Amino acid sequence: MKRTLQLAMVGGGEGAFIGAIHRAAAALDGDWRLVAGAFSSDPARNRRSGDMLGIAPARTYASLEALLAAESALPEAERVDAVSIVTPNHLHAPMAIAALDAGFHVFCEKPMALSTVEAQEIAQAAARSGRHFALAFTYSGYPLIEEARARVARGDFGKVRLVQVEYSQGWLSQPIDRDGNKQAEWRTDPARAGLGGCLGDIGTHAFHLAEHVSGLRVDQLCADLATHVPGRQLDDDVSVLLRLDNGARGVLKATQVAAGDENGLKLRIHGEAGGLEWSQMEPNSLVLRWLDRPMETVRSGGPGLAPSTLQRLRTPAGHPEGYIEAFANLYRAFAARILGDAPGPDDAFPSVAAGLRTMAFVESVVANARSDSKWTQLAVTAGS
Amino acid sequence: MKRTLQLAMVGGGEGAFIGAIHRAAAALDGDWRLVAGAFSSDPARNRRSGDMLGIAPARTYASLEALLAAESALPEAERVDAVSIVTPNHLHAPMAIAALDAGFHVFCEKPMALSTVEAQEIAQAAARSGRHFALAFTYSGYPLIEEARARVARGDFGKVRLVQVEYSQGWLSQPIDRDGNKQAEWRTDPARAGLGGCLGDIGTHAFHLAEHVSGLRVDQLCADLATHVPGRQLDDDVSVLLRLDNGARGVLKATQVAAGDENGLKLRIHGEAGGLEWSQMEPNSLVLRWLDRPMETVRSGGPGLAPSTLQRLRTPAGHPEGYIEAFANLYRAFAARILGDAPGPDDAFPSVAAGLRTMAFVESVVANARSDSKWTQLAVTAGS
Amino acid sequence: MKRTLQLAMVGGGEGAFIGAIHRAAAALDGDWRLVAGAFSSDPARNRRSGDMLGIAPARTYASLEALLAAESALPEAERVDAVSIVTPNHLHAPMAIAALDAGFHVFCEKPMALSTVEAQEIAQAAARSGRHFALAFTYSGYPLIEEARARVARGDFGKVRLVQVEYSQGWLSQPIDRDGNKQAEWRTDPARAGLGGCLGDIGTHAFHLAEHVSGLRVDQLCADLATHVPGRQLDDDVSVLLRLDNGARGVLKATQVAAGDENGLKLRIHGEAGGLEWSQMEPNSLVLRWLDRPMETVRSGGPGLAPSTLQRLRTPAGHPEGYIEAFANLYRAFAARILGDAPGPDDAFPSVAAGLRTMAFVESVVANARSDSKWTQLAVTAGS
Amino acid sequence: MKRTLQLAMVGGGEGAFIGAIHRAAAALDGDWRLVAGAFSSDPARNRRSGDMLGIAPARTYASLEALLAAESALPEAERVDAVSIVTPNHLHAPMAIAALDAGFHVFCEKPMALSTVEAQEIAQAAARSGRHFALAFTYSGYPLIEEARARVARGDFGKVRLVQVEYSQGWLSQPIDRDGNKQAEWRTDPARAGLGGCLGDIGTHAFHLAEHVSGLRVDQLCADLATHVPGRQLDDDVSVLLRLDNGARGVLKATQVAAGDENGLKLRIHGEAGGLEWSQMEPNSLVLRWLDRPMETVRSGGPGLAPSTLQRLRTPAGHPEGYIEAFANLYRAFAARILGDAPGPDDAFPSVAAGLRTMAFVESVVANARSDSKWTQLAVTAGS
């Protein structure tokens, strides 16, 4: 009989957006059951959240420390298998390290940490604990992103020449960070968000997707960061020219002040023979254009998909899957890895390597944007 | 602490499509936990299915009868709350009646039954048992279908004049029903599917959606049924002219031989001042057109939504929701009704009334198609 | 040196819509030069129109009769080659017959005439005069309509099973015909428009396109006509079930009360192996769907086009062509036929045969809509 | 009676693409009549082109010099009013200067010249001759580009923050410039194309459109130029970060190696309150997104258009206009200016000012791309 893994969550109490998504994603396939949590540092809010989620009061903990201590003390068959960390950025590293060191697998929100140094420390904790670490670069869980990746990798388009990625949101167009919007507040606060505002929050998603699908690595970059809303401390608008390691060129654009835009993540890759285009807001279509034959639209569930794409699909063609299903693909791959029945590729879910590169990206962009020289090398330096 | 309801499933073993969707939909919000089932009449397949789903062997039953008997014998707090029926059509009525009479709530696949007579019997069983009956007209669970319904109801478009609904699939374009495709096999077999082929399978969805959103009732219809694939016994293509009870006119087109089409359910309604268009394959947009101002696209999670739409959404704008989320809205409303905390409208999920009308639609279309006279009245006759 | 043909126009003075389109279409390729006309029965308006169009006062005639008389009296090299008739429907037949009998080629607006009888009379006049007669079923001039036709004809989709055509406008949603809108006025007046309102105005376009592209003939039809705007004398909404001569089934929907709709002409045809979809409002894409491979979008100017499509294109891929260019393709084919250098297919532009069938369609729909019996045969009866 | 202007053309003989477009655009509204030309330096080709176009042999000249001499000698009422220059770039300046100095108005292909110095010389010739000079930045002729410009100018979106423009083609993905494709050959030859390859050919279009619609001026830029096809001498791929004079940020991407892309010119502008998006391949829709209300799609011919947009439209809503119509809007504005009946804005067609800025853009991008410093100022220096 299949074993359902047990999950604990840190953060994600009442009113938080991303915690609810993690819970739905974990529940979708029946692989996980949420049984414990420390949902808020506010005791009343923590309790209400636990109640609302059907968590036993005894496993609704006051803090991550309490959670780790109590769960570690349970018999192995009863204690949680993994901890999901859905807090603001500055807590990712200390919490992930504590959970890994306590012997729990960790599913962590992005960006991985506040700095490359912190990210290296998580990497070391994962290595010494032997526990798995998953990072919520959700968009890589979409089936047609896998299709795109597989097609680039098998050479459908020939040598890649162009990589264009954009992530366009508008919700920070007004100074809502000073008007009580909690989501906006911490994302624009350097102490909690880190070096990058829009850059860390969604620029990292764009960067990860571009490298993940193209199979290339960004070698050099040249960036412009802007803060359009007066009084804001971090960037809300990011433009980056990319040079990739095979000679391809790229542009990465991320913004949170494109007023009226929703969640416009879009990826285009062109090679010598054709190109692909994918847009997160219509995720069940992948458009392929060719030099010598008509444009094709590959569809979720339709003919012509790679086996690795099919594994990520739950519905037949024409029954749209969305964001939660993409997220659930990461939780499912994470479960499979833990249960040992995932002999698949190392990148079935984003992990330490992806996290280190995205942190290096954030730091390189900030360094370049502050400098007068044109190109900055992007390199992940080995931890000490 | 929130109570998680317990669910049993009949049918939906290995390889079945719709059972897996029901399970995902029920799991998504944490309202339901699948704990029992009779997944297949084949004992080995039944056992494997239960194992794969993490169901305890003791609650993997050989038949619905066994399930009802054993669960009824459990203490109230332990027994399942509801039974999901995901079998071919001919089993809906006997199973639903048995489950209702045994005191369980029922979530049943569509079409409701093989005939209006059977449907009336289910209605009577629901009435006498006092149990809730939900019918899987899934598409009415989409948030923007609720938005469309709410806008028509509040008169945004003025008096409705035109209702156009189409449901276009292509998967039965070849005689796969004779080549071992189980899904195709029973759907084209009168003994298991009923009077209608395409008509019962997806024509009923189209009909339900048209009436649900327009708030109108079909008064008269004129139909053409075709069977394009040689040797097939039931219709695979349906065309119907509609006259609605306020004088509006409509066209309903359903087909399963539109080769290459996926799951093209599309609804258009026009009134005196403007119109709406919704397409299931891009469910997060609702297009509104107006006589006197630019076309608008209302988006899931975006500005301008009715409160009843917002209740059906899980993600912010631009994070697409899909078919499973729509389905989950029905399971959530069903749970809320059972738990007694749903003071909402009677049509939060499709139930007996919707089922009776769709069965009357099937019978009227078949009668009209066989006749030389032009118009047939559609009427739900009261049960005896 | 290429000869530019000389054109006269009847109707199409100041404020008329379609006259200006004919002039632009005729001018586009340099095949035609407008040199004469009788633009309005109002003398002042006629003169102003001629002036505005740069027509010499001597060739701005008071009536078609005057025009035919005067032009016939000119030396052959100076007189006009053809007459474009862009008046309300009731004038088509008398004017076309007069012009043909006077020895001029005729390019006539649709519908051809008020009745089949009138249409037969035009046919006879064309036959006895030996002059060419073109009918403005403009949409058949679109390059990708030719591509669709060619692909159906060469069997890309196998035997055709489904033909769906719709033409959805909203501009007659309000009683503007009684508020001084001249375009609306005559189109809703039986004396000037004929038996059909929406049916004659745009239903004929839809019917022509469906037969033209499918290569099939409608054998039987079953129709519902409605008049939604109170006080209007002719139909403003048309719904027709079609049975085609190879056994295919179809639906034709035309309406002018779909409030907010612009000019939504859309054609879908499905065969055993796949289907096509074309929408007039995005005319440079032709969508092909297949049972066994991804959806393709064939594009104006892109790879994979039939030679007969390429002949109808003026710009490279991605430079959109539109309605005027489609219209110009008819004027170009008409010129080529007159100049004798068009050895092409008989249907390079719509002519007498298309006109007769569309008139038979109008009469059959009206007869069926008034009857209680379900199916009416559509047949073009030979003239006496 | 309206006067039809007479046009001569230099270049644009058999097989050339853009000459035919100029001719169709000039003919469309009946404002211009092509009566003379020097279509090719090859005598036989020149003669054949004249014949094919219906030009009298006497006015089919061997060269521009011959044309200017002979036409100048004609009585004023007979000689051509303007000369269209549709040759490769290196001939623009000498030809335009000669034609202006001979007293003819000039409609010139873009880019204006090989350098800012040459462009200044044209500007001086226009000034001293008092003749009008139009530049074929065709895309600014689209009606909905005017709508976009008007809406930005009247402040619909508030202060502009983001300008994103891209022009993506794929036709130079292979080394067709060495395989006999004449269009490709001269465009990749520095002697005939100038400093920029893709940059001059389409980068200038993108730049012009961005400034034209935003009403802003690019202040600083940072660029990366690439040549992806081995052996090619000029850039085929352009990426530029922009800083505009009001503090807005921008990205300009132009490429001719996006294999499979057709003519993907797309503009997005966002201000504090909302944003707009326009795509040349679907030019009859302008998408507007807002912080606080649903997305709108403004349509050619539909409700809500600015008066200056309506003047650029020929057809009612839903009858698509395209590239030739946009081009014709420039020819119409040019004619109106010449005839003195155009009291409208100075930018009804692109002229000297637009030309000078685009040449400065080309030179600044090339300078920046060759440099290690990040930002280059873009400034039009006054001619000597």
Side-chain angles (χ1 to χ4, degrees):
Chain A
M1 191 180 122
K2 171 188 169 176
R3 182 157 84 87
T4 299
L5 293 166
Q6 300 199 85
L7 186 68
M9 176 168 283
V10 199
E14 281 180 353
F17 146 57
I18 203 67
I21 300 291
H22 277 256
R23 291 189 293 264
L28 191 69
D29 297 309
D31 293 325
W32 292 94
R33 203 169 155 213
L34 181 71
V35 296
F39 303 103
S40 173
S41 52
D42 175 85
R45 203 163 156 262
N46 187 37
R47 205 163 39 237
R48 280 197 309 274
S49 301
D51 272 4
M52 186 189 75
L53 297 169
I55 307 298
R59 292 177 94 176
T60 302
Y61 300 101
S63 66
L64 176 65
E65 294 66 39
L67 186 155
L68 297 177
E71 292 289 326
S72 297
L74 292 174
E76 195 176 332
E78 290 175 33
R79 75 172 74 130
V80 297
D81 297 280
V83 178
S84 285
I85 300 173
V86 295
T87 63
N89 305 350
H90 67 298
L91 299 174
H92 293 178
M95 286 184 162
I97 293 166
L100 290 164
D101 282 343
F104 297 98
H105 305 290
V106 168
F107 196 116
C108 185
E109 257 306 317
K110 41 52 53 184
M112 191 175 182
L114 293 186
S115 67
T116 301
V117 169
E118 276 192 2
Q120 296 280 15
E121 290 169 0
I122 297 176
Q124 289 155 9
R128 72 177 166 253
S129 70
R131 292 304 180 260
H132 297 296
F133 177 83
L135 204 44
F137 284 117
T138 316
Y139 302 107
S140 62
Y142 272 109
L144 291 188
I145 281 296
E146 171 56 20
E147 183 67 23
R149 195 204 57 75
R151 283 176 178 258
V152 171
R154 78 184 186 212
D156 285 16
F157 310 104
K159 176 176 178 282
V160 170
R161 287 171 171 167
L162 306 178
V163 176
Q164 292 171 269
V165 65
E166 60 186 52
Y167 199 149
S168 193
Q169 296 182 334
W171 68 292
L172 288 178
S173 293
Q174 301 292 324
I176 57 171
D177 27 338
R178 283 173 293 160
D179 297 346
N181 181 308
K182 286 193 168 301
Q183 299 290 328
E185 222 174 273
W186 72 256
R187 277 181 174 82
T188 56
D189 171 7
R192 286 177 283 172
L195 283 171
C198 171
L199 174 61
D201 195 35
I202 62 173
T204 50
H205 272 303
F207 172 82
H208 177 257
L209 205 66
E211 286 203 347
H212 176 68
V213 175
S214 71
L216 301 175
R217 295 292 165 258
V218 171
D219 189 41
Q220 288 186 302
L221 56 79
C222 167
D224 194 18
L225 291 180
T227 304
H228 291 281
V229 173
R232 188 166 284 163
Q233 286 183 270
L234 291 171
D235 66 276
D236 50 26
D237 184 44
V238 180
S239 309
V240 192
L241 305 180
L242 307 173
R243 289 182 165 179
L244 294 115
D245 58 1
N246 78 334
R249 303 301 169 98
V251 177
L252 180 152
K253 174 76 199 175
T255 185
Q256 294 181 311
V257 295
D261 281 13
E262 299 179 346
N263 198 43
L265 174 61
K266 188 167 153 187
L267 179 67
R268 284 175 289 178
I269 293 179
H270 287 86
E272 297 160 316
L276 66 82
E277 177 171 346
W278 180 83
S279 174
Q280 193 267 154
M281 285 168 50
E282 303 296 359
N284 297 291
S285 292
L286 174 67
V287 176
L288 309 178
R289 296 192 182 84
W290 306 102
L291 272 185
D292 58 357
R293 61 184 201 271
M295 165 180 154
E296 293 174 301
T297 303
V298 174
R299 295 268 311 155
S300 292
L305 298 173
S308 55
T309 304
L310 293 172
Q311 288 167 13
R312 286 164 171 82
L313 283 165
R314 288 166 189 81
T315 58
H319 299 71
E321 301 195 34
Y323 179 72
I324 293 175
E325 287 84 353
F327 218 131
N329 283 336
L330 302 191
Y331 266 99
R332 185 158 69 178
F334 186 50
R337 184 69 53 83
I338 291 169
L339 292 169
D341 52 358
D346 276 354
D347 57 358
F349 57 87
S351 184
V352 162
L356 288 171
R357 283 201 64 79
T358 50
M359 291 314 304
F361 170 72
V362 168
E363 292 182 354
S364 300
V365 166
V366 171
N368 180 276
R370 289 175 180 165
S371 145
D372 285 338
S373 66
K374 197 156 175 182
W375 296 101
T376 295
Q377 202 73 24
L378 189 158
V380 173
T381 50
S384 55
Chain B
M1 191 179 125
K2 170 186 173 179
R3 182 156 85 87
T4 299
L5 293 166
Q6 299 199 85
L7 186 68
M9 176 168 282
V10 201
E14 281 181 356
F17 145 57
I18 203 66
I21 300 290
H22 277 256
R23 292 189 291 265
L28 191 68
D29 298 308
D31 292 324
W32 293 93
R33 201 167 159 215
L34 181 72
V35 297
F39 303 103
S40 174
S41 51
D42 175 85
R45 204 165 154 262
N46 186 36
R47 204 165 40 238
R48 280 198 309 273
S49 300
D51 272 4
M52 186 189 74
L53 297 169
I55 307 297
R59 294 178 92 176
T60 303
Y61 300 100
S63 66
L64 175 65
E65 293 68 37
L67 185 154
L68 296 176
E71 292 289 326
S72 297
L74 291 175
E76 196 178 330
E78 288 175 34
R79 77 173 71 130
V80 297
D81 298 279
V83 178
S84 285
I85 301 174
V86 295
T87 62
N89 305 350
H90 67 299
L91 300 174
H92 294 178
M95 286 183 160
I97 292 165
L100 289 164
D101 281 342
F104 298 96
H105 305 290
V106 168
F107 196 117
C108 185
E109 256 306 317
K110 39 52 55 185
M112 192 175 182
L114 293 187
S115 67
T116 300
V117 169
E118 274 193 4
Q120 297 280 16
E121 292 168 0
I122 297 177
Q124 289 156 9
R128 73 176 166 256
S129 70
R131 292 303 182 261
H132 296 296
F133 178 81
L135 203 45
F137 285 117
T138 316
Y139 302 107
S140 62
Y142 272 110
L144 291 188
I145 281 297
E146 170 57 19
E147 183 67 23
R149 195 202 58 73
R151 284 176 176 258
V152 172
R154 77 181 185 215
D156 285 16
F157 311 104
K159 176 175 178 283
V160 170
R161 288 171 170 168
L162 306 177
V163 176
Q164 291 170 269
V165 64
E166 58 185 56
Y167 198 150
S168 193
Q169 296 182 334
W171 70 290
L172 288 178
S173 293
Q174 301 292 322
I176 58 171
D177 28 338
R178 284 173 293 159
D179 297 347
N181 181 309
K182 285 191 169 301
Q183 299 289 329
E185 222 174 272
W186 71 257
R187 279 182 173 81
T188 56
D189 172 7
R192 286 177 284 173
L195 284 171
C198 171
L199 174 61
D201 196 33
I202 62 174
T204 49
H205 272 303
F207 172 81
H208 177 257
L209 206 65
E211 287 203 345
H212 175 68
V213 175
S214 71
L216 301 175
R217 295 293 164 258
V218 171
D219 187 43
Q220 289 186 300
L221 54 78
C222 167
D224 194 19
L225 291 180
T227 304
H228 292 280
V229 174
R232 188 166 287 165
Q233 288 183 270
L234 291 171
D235 66 277
D236 50 25
D237 184 43
V238 180
S239 309
V240 192
L241 304 182
L242 307 173
R243 289 183 166 178
L244 295 113
D245 57 1
N246 76 335
R249 304 300 171 96
V251 177
L252 181 152
K253 174 76 200 176
T255 186
Q256 294 182 311
V257 295
D261 281 13
E262 298 180 347
N263 198 44
L265 173 60
K266 188 168 150 182
L267 178 67
R268 284 175 289 177
I269 292 178
H270 285 86
E272 296 160 316
L276 65 82
E277 176 171 347
W278 180 82
S279 175
Q280 192 266 156
M281 284 169 51
E282 303 297 359
N284 298 292
S285 292
L286 174 67
V287 176
L288 309 179
R289 295 189 183 86
W290 306 103
L291 272 185
D292 59 358
R293 60 183 202 271
M295 164 180 155
E296 292 175 300
T297 304
V298 173
R299 296 268 311 155
S300 293
L305 297 172
S308 55
T309 305
L310 293 172
Q311 288 167 13
R312 285 162 169 84
L313 284 166
R314 290 166 187 80
T315 58
H319 298 73
E321 301 194 34
Y323 178 72
I324 293 174
E325 287 83 354
F327 219 132
N329 284 335
L330 301 191
Y331 266 99
R332 186 159 66 178
F334 186 50
R337 183 69 53 84
I338 292 169
L339 292 169
D341 53 357
D346 275 355
D347 58 357
F349 56 87
S351 184
V352 163
L356 288 171
R357 282 200 66 78
T358 50
M359 291 315 302
F361 170 73
V362 168
E363 293 182 355
S364 301
V365 166
V366 171
N368 181 276
R370 289 173 181 166
S371 145
D372 285 338
S373 66
K374 198 157 173 180
W375 296 102
T376 296
Q377 202 73 24
L378 189 158
V380 173
T381 50
S384 55
Chain C
M1 189 180 126
K2 170 188 172 176
R3 183 156 84 86
T4 300
L5 294 166
Q6 299 198 86
L7 186 66
M9 176 169 282
V10 201
E14 283 180 354
F17 146 57
I18 202 68
I21 301 289
H22 277 255
R23 291 190 292 266
L28 190 69
D29 297 310
D31 293 324
W32 292 93
R33 202 170 156 213
L34 181 72
V35 296
F39 303 104
S40 174
S41 52
D42 175 83
R45 203 163 156 262
N46 187 36
R47 207 166 36 239
R48 279 198 310 273
S49 300
D51 273 3
M52 187 189 76
L53 297 169
I55 306 297
R59 295 178 92 175
T60 303
Y61 301 100
S63 65
L64 176 64
E65 293 67 38
L67 186 154
L68 296 177
E71 292 288 327
S72 297
L74 292 176
E76 196 178 328
E78 290 174 32
R79 76 172 72 128
V80 298
D81 297 279
V83 178
S84 286
I85 300 174
V86 296
T87 62
N89 304 351
H90 66 300
L91 301 173
H92 293 178
M95 286 184 162
I97 293 166
L100 290 164
D101 282 343
F104 298 97
H105 305 291
V106 169
F107 196 116
C108 186
E109 257 306 317
K110 40 52 56 184
M112 192 177 184
L114 293 187
S115 66
T116 300
V117 169
E118 275 193 0
Q120 296 279 14
E121 290 168 0
I122 298 177
Q124 289 156 12
R128 70 177 169 254
S129 69
R131 292 304 181 261
H132 296 296
F133 178 82
L135 205 45
F137 285 116
T138 316
Y139 302 107
S140 62
Y142 272 109
L144 292 187
I145 281 296
E146 171 56 20
E147 183 67 24
R149 195 202 57 74
R151 284 177 177 258
V152 172
R154 78 182 186 213
D156 285 16
F157 310 104
K159 176 174 178 286
V160 169
R161 287 171 171 167
L162 306 178
V163 176
Q164 292 169 270
V165 64
E166 60 185 53
Y167 198 150
S168 192
Q169 297 182 335
W171 68 290
L172 288 178
S173 293
Q174 300 293 322
I176 58 170
D177 27 339
R178 285 174 290 159
D179 297 348
N181 182 308
K182 284 191 171 303
Q183 299 290 329
E185 221 173 273
W186 73 257
R187 278 181 173 82
T188 56
D189 172 7
R192 287 177 282 173
L195 284 170
C198 171
L199 174 60
D201 195 35
I202 62 173
T204 51
H205 272 303
F207 173 81
H208 177 257
L209 205 66
E211 287 203 347
H212 176 68
V213 176
S214 71
L216 301 175
R217 294 294 164 258
V218 170
D219 188 40
Q220 289 185 302
L221 54 79
C222 168
D224 193 19
L225 291 181
T227 304
H228 291 280
V229 173
R232 188 166 285 164
Q233 288 184 268
L234 291 171
D235 66 276
D236 51 24
D237 184 43
V238 180
S239 308
V240 193
L241 304 182
L242 307 172
R243 289 182 165 180
L244 295 115
D245 58 359
N246 77 334
R249 305 298 171 98
V251 177
L252 180 152
K253 174 76 200 178
T255 186
Q256 295 181 311
V257 295
D261 280 14
E262 300 180 346
N263 198 44
L265 173 60
K266 187 166 153 185
L267 178 68
R268 284 174 288 177
I269 292 178
H270 285 87
E272 297 160 316
L276 66 83
E277 177 172 347
W278 180 83
S279 174
Q280 193 266 154
M281 284 169 52
E282 303 296 358
N284 297 292
S285 291
L286 174 67
V287 176
L288 309 178
R289 295 190 182 85
W290 305 103
L291 271 184
D292 58 358
R293 58 183 201 273
M295 165 180 155
E296 291 174 303
T297 304
V298 174
R299 295 269 311 157
S300 291
L305 298 172
S308 55
T309 304
L310 292 172
Q311 287 167 15
R312 285 164 171 82
L313 283 167
R314 289 166 188 80
T315 58
H319 299 72
E321 301 195 34
Y323 179 72
I324 294 175
E325 287 82 355
F327 218 131
N329 283 336
L330 302 191
Y331 266 98
R332 187 158 67 178
F334 186 50
R337 183 69 54 82
I338 291 168
L339 292 170
D341 52 357
D346 275 354
D347 58 357
F349 56 88
S351 185
V352 163
L356 288 170
R357 283 200 64 79
T358 48
M359 291 314 304
F361 169 72
V362 168
E363 293 182 355
S364 301
V365 166
V366 171
N368 180 276
R370 290 176 180 165
S371 146
D372 284 340
S373 69
K374 196 157 176 181
W375 296 101
T376 296
Q377 201 74 23
L378 188 158
V380 174
T381 51
S384 57
Chain D
M1 190 180 124
K2 171 186 171 176
R3 184 158 84 85
T4 301
L5 294 166
Q6 299 200 84
L7 186 67
M9 177 168 280
V10 201
E14 283 180 355
F17 145 58
I18 202 67
I21 300 292
H22 278 255
R23 291 189 294 265
L28 190 69
D29 297 308
D31 293 324
W32 293 94
R33 203 169 154 213
L34 182 71
V35 296
F39 304 103
S40 173
S41 52
D42 175 84
R45 205 164 154 263
N46 187 36
R47 207 164 37 241
R48 280 199 310 275
S49 300
D51 273 4
M52 187 189 76
L53 297 170
I55 306 298
R59 293 177 94 175
T60 303
Y61 300 101
S63 65
L64 176 65
E65 292 69 36
L67 186 154
L68 296 177
E71 292 289 327
S72 296
L74 292 175
E76 197 179 327
E78 290 176 32
R79 77 173 70 129
V80 297
D81 297 279
V83 178
S84 286
I85 301 173
V86 296
T87 62
N89 305 351
H90 66 299
L91 299 173
H92 293 177
M95 286 184 162
I97 292 166
L100 289 164
D101 282 343
F104 298 97
H105 305 291
V106 168
F107 197 117
C108 185
E109 258 306 319
K110 41 52 54 185
M112 191 176 184
L114 293 187
S115 66
T116 300
V117 168
E118 276 193 1
Q120 296 280 14
E121 291 168 359
I122 297 177
Q124 289 156 11
R128 71 177 167 254
S129 70
R131 292 304 181 261
H132 297 295
F133 178 81
L135 205 43
F137 284 116
T138 315
Y139 302 107
S140 61
Y142 273 109
L144 291 188
I145 282 296
E146 171 57 20
E147 183 68 22
R149 194 203 57 75
R151 284 176 179 259
V152 172
R154 77 181 187 215
D156 285 17
F157 311 104
K159 176 175 179 281
V160 170
R161 287 172 171 167
L162 306 177
V163 176
Q164 290 171 269
V165 64
E166 58 185 56
Y167 198 150
S168 192
Q169 297 182 333
W171 69 291
L172 289 177
S173 293
Q174 300 292 322
I176 58 171
D177 29 337
R178 283 173 292 159
D179 297 347
N181 181 309
K182 284 192 170 301
Q183 298 291 329
E185 222 174 273
W186 71 257
R187 277 181 173 82
T188 56
D189 172 8
R192 286 178 284 173
L195 283 170
C198 171
L199 174 61
D201 196 34
I202 62 173
T204 51
H205 272 304
F207 172 81
H208 177 257
L209 206 66
E211 287 203 347
H212 176 68
V213 175
S214 71
L216 302 175
R217 295 293 164 258
V218 170
D219 188 41
Q220 289 186 302
L221 54 78
C222 168
D224 194 18
L225 291 179
T227 304
H228 291 280
V229 174
R232 188 166 285 164
Q233 286 183 270
L234 291 172
D235 66 277
D236 50 24
D237 184 44
V238 180
S239 309
V240 192
L241 305 181
L242 307 173
R243 289 181 165 180
L244 293 114
D245 58 0
N246 77 334
R249 305 300 171 96
V251 177
L252 181 152
K253 174 75 200 179
T255 185
Q256 294 181 311
V257 296
D261 281 13
E262 299 180 344
N263 198 43
L265 174 60
K266 188 166 153 186
L267 178 67
R268 284 175 287 178
I269 292 179
H270 286 87
E272 296 159 315
L276 67 82
E277 177 169 347
W278 180 83
S279 173
Q280 192 269 155
M281 284 168 54
E282 304 296 0
N284 296 292
S285 293
L286 174 67
V287 176
L288 309 179
R289 295 190 183 87
W290 306 103
L291 271 185
D292 58 358
R293 59 184 202 270
M295 165 180 153
E296 291 174 302
T297 304
V298 174
R299 295 268 311 156
S300 291
L305 297 173
S308 55
T309 305
L310 293 172
Q311 288 168 13
R312 286 164 170 81
L313 284 165
R314 289 167 188 80
T315 58
H319 298 74
E321 300 195 35
Y323 178 72
I324 292 175
E325 287 82 355
F327 218 131
N329 283 336
L330 301 191
Y331 266 99
R332 186 158 66 177
F334 186 50
R337 184 68 54 83
I338 291 169
L339 292 169
D341 53 357
D346 276 354
D347 58 357
F349 55 86
S351 185
V352 164
L356 289 171
R357 283 201 64 79
T358 50
M359 291 314 305
F361 170 72
V362 168
E363 293 182 355
S364 299
V365 165
V366 171
N368 179 276
R370 289 175 180 164
S371 146
D372 285 339
S373 67
K374 198 158 174 182
W375 296 101
T376 296
Q377 201 74 22
L378 188 158
V380 174
T381 50
S384 55

